[in-house]
Amino acid sequence: MWPLMAVLLLSSLCCGSAQLLFKNINSVTASSCDKVIAIPCYVSNIKAKEVKALDLNWKFGNTVILIFEGSVNKYSRAPKFESARVSTLALLQGNASLKLNKNEAKEGNYTCTVADLGREGNHTMELKYRRASWFPLSENILIIIFPFLTILFFWAQFGILIRKYKSNPMNKKIILLSTSGLLLTITVIVGAILFIPGNYSKKKSYGLIFFVTPSVILVFLQYHKFKPAIGRTLYAMIILTTIQALGFVLIMAGLYHSVTVCEPKYGSLLTAGLAIVTLVELFGLIYMKWLDPLIGFL
Ligand SMILES: *[C@@H]1O[C@H](CO)[C@@H](O)[C@H](O)[C@H]1NC(C)=O
Ligand SMILES: *[C@@H]1O[C@H](CO)[C@@H](O)[C@H](O)[C@H]1NC(C)=O
Ligand SMILES: *[C@@H]1O[C@H](CO)[C@@H](O)[C@H](O)[C@H]1NC(C)=O
């Protein structure tokens, strides 16, 4: 009598109702550059030999992502998680991992629930993203600093010209320079607001475009700043325009190679271009203040 009861007790403890055993993964860290995110879930003691005997569902917090019912071999996905997929073949081997496109895979807790021949279990893990800003830190700092310095040097030159034309403040040149300067400043500020915060995203790449392309305005303004240029000033104007145009070409090349790339490799083209544009504004300022025979000593 007693031995029989002991056997019955043991068998019910040991095998009949054995729990599903989940691999103990508590968190996954994905790169914000990945396009597809895999959220792992492994069961080590699946007994079913056919998917018919298996059920799987995935939840994000309390929201259902995907339900797979083996008995009818049917998937259903929530509309917010259209990219969700699992592999039923892998599931038979105990691999219940979920794949999601990055835009649908938010940070937070994901739970997989597996049912195998009437046994059920779940496991929860947290998805986190590695914080990688878009450009390396040093390039990022330069990309932010140069456009602001450029604007500063531009307005300093504008200040010198204003003093020159103070007798005629509505001078065409002043109106052109001030409206272009305002346009430039506003685009750069809008660009900075979009570009500076967060990880690589569409918003950030639009921000970069806004932030660095307005330099082209400066190339055209060289002529208007120095006109009527004669003698030494004419040469200075031509040299400044040419070098700044080259800087702008470098900026566009760097932008082209970076704007859609999560881990850009040619950020140095961009920073070199921005540095040239900024230096040309600085030389323009120095020339205007100390070397221009027409404007100097005002
Ligand atoms: C588990 O399945 C996923 C696809 O659903 C796959 O990407 C992953 O490599 C598999 N893991 C192993 C250890 O085979
Ligand atoms: C996920 O769960 C862990 C442990 O329960 C908790 O500490 C953490 O705050 C949760 N994360 C989110 C984003 O809810
Ligand atoms: C996971 O399983 C435990 C016990 O089996 C249950 O209390 C819990 O509600 C389940 N969690 C989810 C998210 O289904």
Side-chain angles (χ1 to χ4, degrees):
M1 192 65 185
W2 283 111
L4 182 63
M5 275 181 72
V7 167
L8 279 176
L9 190 65
L10 269 180
S11 69
S12 73
L13 276 180
C14 141
C15 310
S17 63
Q19 300 263 318
L20 292 180
L21 299 174
F22 287 85
K23 193 166 166 188
N24 196 16
I25 302 169
N26 293 320
S27 73
V28 273
T29 307
S31 158
S32 48
C33 291
D34 291 343
K35 289 206 166 68
V36 174
I37 308 294
I39 302 163
C41 175
Y42 296 102
V43 185
S44 60
N45 59 344
I46 290 282
K47 285 195 178 139
K49 295 284 177 281
E50 292 178 294
V51 285
K52 256 191 238 166
L54 293 167
D55 289 327
L56 167 63
N57 83 60
W58 272 98
K59 280 184 188 165
F60 173 62
N62 292 319
T63 316
V64 172
I65 300 173
L66 169 144
I67 296 176
F68 171 70
E69 290 172 274
S71 53
V72 287
N73 199 15
K74 197 173 148 229
Y75 294 93
S76 42
R77 290 181 189 81
K80 265 168 67 187
F81 299 100
E82 274 175 340
S83 67
R85 55 200 180 276
V86 292
S87 152
T88 45
L89 274 180
L91 180 58
L92 267 179
Q93 323 286 312
N95 177 355
S97 303
L98 173 74
K99 283 188 173 171
L100 276 175
N101 289 353
K102 198 195 127 210
N103 58 335
E104 294 181 351
K106 303 275 176 288
E107 279 193 323
N109 286 318
Y110 289 78
T111 304
C112 67
T113 304
V114 177
D116 166 33
L117 297 168
R119 300 176 303 161
E120 191 179 287
N122 66 43
H123 187 67
T124 300
M125 69 235 75
E126 186 167 8
L127 173 67
K128 294 176 198 156
Y129 283 104
R130 205 179 307 131
R131 297 271 163 253
S133 88
W134 187 9
F135 291 90
L137 186 63
S138 55
E139 281 177 7
N140 207 36
I141 291 171
L142 293 177
I143 291 172
I144 292 167
I145 287 178
F146 283 134
F148 283 108
L149 278 181
T150 305
I151 289 184
L152 199 72
F153 295 147
F154 170 81
W155 286 115
Q157 293 172 74
F158 182 76
I160 294 175
L161 291 170
I162 276 278
R163 267 179 287 156
K164 179 183 171 194
Y165 292 97
K166 62 178 172 241
S167 52
N168 182 7
M170 293 317 275
N171 179 288
K172 259 193 195 149
K173 180 200 287 244
I174 296 298
I175 292 172
L176 176 77
L177 288 177
S178 57
T179 44
S180 313
L182 275 179
L183 180 70
L184 183 75
T185 310
I186 291 167
T187 353
V188 165
I189 289 174
V190 170
I193 291 170
L194 297 173
F195 173 71
I196 293 173
N199 294 326
Y200 178 65
S201 64
K202 272 230 165 71
K203 179 180 88 108
K204 208 171 159 90
S205 56
Y206 289 134
L208 183 65
I209 295 172
F210 271 96
F211 199 41
V212 302
T213 46
S215 336
V216 72
I217 298 176
L218 292 164
V219 180
F220 290 107
L221 289 185
Q222 295 299 345
Y223 167 74
H224 294 283
K225 275 189 303 199
F226 289 102
K227 150 187 108 158
I230 40 170
R232 193 164 78 192
T233 305
L234 180 64
Y235 290 122
M237 185 190 85
I238 291 171
I239 291 168
L240 291 179
T241 307
T242 311
I243 297 177
Q244 202 166 42
L246 285 176
F248 183 70
V249 169
L250 282 185
I251 291 177
M252 292 318 279
L255 191 63
Y256 175 80
H257 286 291
S258 310
V259 77
T260 57
V261 183
C262 193
E263 285 161 310
K265 293 188 187 68
Y266 296 97
S268 50
L269 279 181
L270 197 57
T271 48
L274 290 168
I276 292 173
V277 167
T278 306
L279 281 176
V280 167
E281 285 306 295
L282 178 61
F283 286 134
L285 176 61
I286 292 171
Y287 185 87
M288 217 179 251
K289 182 113 179 108
W290 290 288
L291 301 172
D292 186 342
L294 290 176
I295 302 182
F297 314 111
L298 281 167

